[in-house]
Structure formats: C-alpha cells, structure tokens
Amino acid sequence: MRVNRILLSSSLVVVALVLQVSVLARLHLPGAVPDLLLLTVLGLALVYGHVGGALVGFGAGLLADLAPPADHAAGRYALVLCVIGYLAGLVKPENGRLKSATGPMVVVVVAAIASTLLYAGVGALVGDTAARHVGLGSLLFTAALYDLLLAPFVVPGIMALARRAENDPLAETNSQAKKPNISSGWLSGGTGLRIGSQRGGLGGLKVKAGRARTARAGRIKGVKRL
C-alpha cells in the first residue's frame, strides 16, 4: 500500500475505534452495538479495492482485538474484517465514485449481517457461545439497522477522504502538459530569437547570411582581376 493510504487508513481506524469504544459502546442500545469500525473498513475498501480492503480490515480488526475492553481471542475480529474488506473491495465502483446510494447501502446491510454471522461462527469454533445467550436473530437485525442508520454519515465522507488522498495520474498528466517549455522560453528571452511557429526571424538571418557570402565572393573576384 502507498504511504498516503497507510497514514489515512491508520488515522481513520484509530479515530473510529476510539469513538466506538468510548461513545457507541456506552449507549447501551438493545441488541448489537453500532459498528463504526466496520463502516470505516467498508468506506476504504470501496475506494482501495479488494487487496487494500483486506489489509485495512485485518489491521483494524487486530487493533480492535487488542484494544480494551476486548474479551475475545486475539485475531477473531481481524479475520472477520479481513474477509469483509476483501469482499467489499470486489464491488468497488468505477474510479471509486458512487453513482447512487442504493449499492453502498446494500453492501452495508450485507456486511453487517455477514460480519455478525462470521463472528459468531468463529466464536463457536473457539468455544464462545455468547451469541446464543443474547439471541442471534436480534443481533442480526439490530446490527443491520444500526449500521444502516449510521452509514450515510460515515461511508461517503470516508470515501471522499480516500479519493482526495489518492494521486490522480490524469490530473498529473494534465498539469505537466500545461507547464510551459522552460528551455524554449529561456532561449527566446535571452537571445531575442523567436522559436516555434514564427519562422520569419530565422528566414531573415538566412537571407542576410546569403547576401554576406555574395558580397564577399564579389570582393574576392575583384581582387583577382587586379
């Protein structure tokens, strides 16, 4: 990944994790907790693609696994967000720009349900049955609802920041094409010669040089006759 991607992704992930742990987790909403970290990964994956989304998801999930008050095995949420980031990156829109809000909202709902199921499935493999006591159905419904309500305020802004941080090769090419030819300007300004389409100056120099050669030849012939 590029340096600007790493810096932007790290900053957004840290801010999202702090807000989720210090604010959203303390709202004590029924069912699931709004997953701001998941929405951040989705926004970045929709711009960076499947490889960037997988890397960002793994890093964000691992940070969430290690940050207090995590009460699950390290690497569990990293696996979940890595898979979600990869799958979300596969539906990356052209040039990272959204044509409508329908597609991203569907991605958010599917990602919220898939991440909850995958998290519960990995937990069942390691012996964590907390999802069974809470109720998997209510978790799926509330996770999709909370993330869907929060997504319009998070995903478009993150995508805009990611696009702005990206280097646009077309813009660079256009800016280079608009730059003046420094060497031509220096030659024309320093010598008084006009270079390019104005060929009259060069033509005048050629005529003067021809006249000088003719006059010199005439003088030489006159000397020989004497």
Side-chain angles (χ1 to χ4, degrees):
M1 295 180 69
R2 301 175 182 176
V3 177
N4 55 351
R5 287 188 177 187
I6 296 175
L7 294 177
L8 178 64
S9 302
S10 302
S11 303
L12 292 176
V13 165
V14 170
V15 172
L17 182 61
V18 171
L19 290 177
Q20 182 167 334
V21 172
S22 60
V23 178
L24 298 179
R26 297 184 179 183
L27 295 178
H28 301 292
L29 297 174
V33 176
D35 201 339
L36 184 60
L37 198 60
L38 173 65
L39 297 178
T40 303
V41 172
L42 291 178
L44 294 174
L46 290 175
V47 177
Y48 295 157
H50 59 282
V51 177
L55 293 175
V56 172
F58 179 80
L62 186 60
L63 186 62
D65 289 331
L66 300 177
D71 55 353
H72 54 268
R76 180 177 171 184
Y77 202 46
L79 174 62
V80 173
L81 288 186
C82 181
V83 174
I84 296 299
Y86 180 85
L87 296 178
L90 293 177
V91 295
K92 167 188 172 183
E94 185 178 0
N95 297 328
R97 299 182 182 275
L98 298 177
K99 296 181 179 180
S100 65
T102 304
M105 293 301 102
V106 173
V107 172
V108 169
V109 174
V110 173
I113 296 175
S115 62
T116 304
L117 289 175
L118 187 58
Y119 186 82
V122 175
L125 293 176
V126 297
D128 185 2
T129 59
R132 297 180 181 178
H133 301 289
V134 176
L136 186 58
S138 62
L139 282 178
L140 293 175
F141 176 76
T142 54
L145 178 62
Y146 296 154
D147 292 346
L148 185 61
L149 293 176
L150 190 61
F153 305 99
V154 178
V155 176
I158 291 178
M159 293 184 66
L161 290 176
R163 288 196 306 267
R164 183 172 296 181
E166 286 288 283
N167 292 325
D168 189 359
L170 295 178
E172 291 181 357
T173 304
N174 293 333
S175 62
Q176 292 178 359
K178 292 179 181 179
K179 291 182 180 179
N181 192 336
I182 299 176
S183 60
S184 300
W186 178 77
L187 288 173
S188 61
T191 61
L193 299 178
R194 295 183 179 181
I195 301 175
S197 60
Q198 298 180 1
R199 301 178 181 177
L202 293 178
L205 291 177
K206 291 181 180 179
V207 172
K208 290 180 181 180
R211 290 177 180 177
R213 287 195 298 268
T214 304
R216 187 182 302 172
R219 288 195 298 267
I220 293 174
K221 291 180 179 179
V223 172
K224 288 183 178 179
R225 291 176 180 176
L226 293 175

